[in-house]
Amino acid sequence: MTNHSSPFSFLSSTRRQLAWITACLMLVLFSGLAKAQTVADESVIVLVAHPDVPISWLTRDTTRAIFAMRQRTWPNGQAVQVFVLPNRDPVHARFTKEQLAVYPHQLQLAWDRVVFSGRGQAPNRVRNLTEMHEKVASTPGALGYLEREYLDESVQVISME
């Protein structure tokens, strides 16, 4: 009786080794392609504002101050209405880490300090990106973030430098 311990057992020893090496390389290649596709599937997150907001760019520090609820007005004096997704939302986590360079729990601590000290309010929470789009588009002075696929002419993209 023949021992079939390998799917390549019918090959010679050298060819069997080459077949295993090829199979392993293919596995590595395909797993790398799958990972690259996953990264490519993650859409870019952009800062968006209501079309009446009088600016087209913000510095990272200013953006961080606005989202931490430390800066509450636009340069023209209009109140900033900040909209955010829930802390556990993956888009919120990516936005805070990639765009603001802070973790979601750090922002939550800043909001808690502002609220509990009586110096201000927490940002407006929305359930999902569709609601974020609707609220930013319909609220004067609004600032939020969206994945690129949600963009249209009803919101203004704000560049961050």
Side-chain angles (χ1 to χ4, degrees), residues 102-154:
V102 298
Y103 288 99
H105 72 273
Q106 291 173 302
L107 262 186
Q108 184 64 54
L109 288 172
W111 300 334
D112 291 347
R113 277 192 300 272
V114 168
V115 170
F116 295 132
S117 70
R119 293 181 288 132
Q121 297 178 327
N124 303 294
R125 291 205 191 258
V126 295
R127 292 183 303 269
N128 53 46
L129 289 170
T130 301
E131 186 179 1
M132 174 79 76
H133 181 271
E134 292 168 1
K135 294 292 187 177
V136 171
S138 64
T139 307
L143 183 68
Y145 47 89
L146 292 169
E147 289 184 327
R148 283 206 186 274
E149 66 189 67
Y150 288 85
L151 296 179
D152 63 19
E153 67 283 344
S154 67

Side-chain angles (χ1 to χ4, degrees), residues 19-20 30 35 51 61 83 88 99 101 127 130 139-140 146 157:
W20 273 111
F30 288 130
K35 187 174 184 176
D61 288 343
F83 289 92
R88 294 180 189 253
Q99 305 293 330
R127 292 183 303 269
T130 301
T139 307
L146 292 169
V157 174

Side-chain angles (χ1 to χ4, degrees), residues 61-118:
D61 288 343
T62 300
T63 305
R64 192 180 303 125
I66 290 171
F67 276 93
M69 307 305 287
R70 292 190 316 266
Q71 180 172 329
R72 294 181 227 144
T73 60
W74 293 109
N76 68 354
Q78 180 182 29
V80 178
Q81 298 295 322
V82 177
F83 289 92
V84 296
L85 291 166
N87 284 346
R88 294 180 189 253
D89 190 291
V91 174
H92 177 72
R94 283 182 39 227
F95 172 75
T96 61
K97 291 176 195 173
E98 294 170 9
Q99 305 293 330
L100 303 180
V102 298
Y103 288 99
H105 72 273
Q106 291 173 302
L107 262 186
Q108 184 64 54
L109 288 172
W111 300 334
D112 291 347
R113 277 192 300 272
V114 168
V115 170
F116 295 132
S117 70

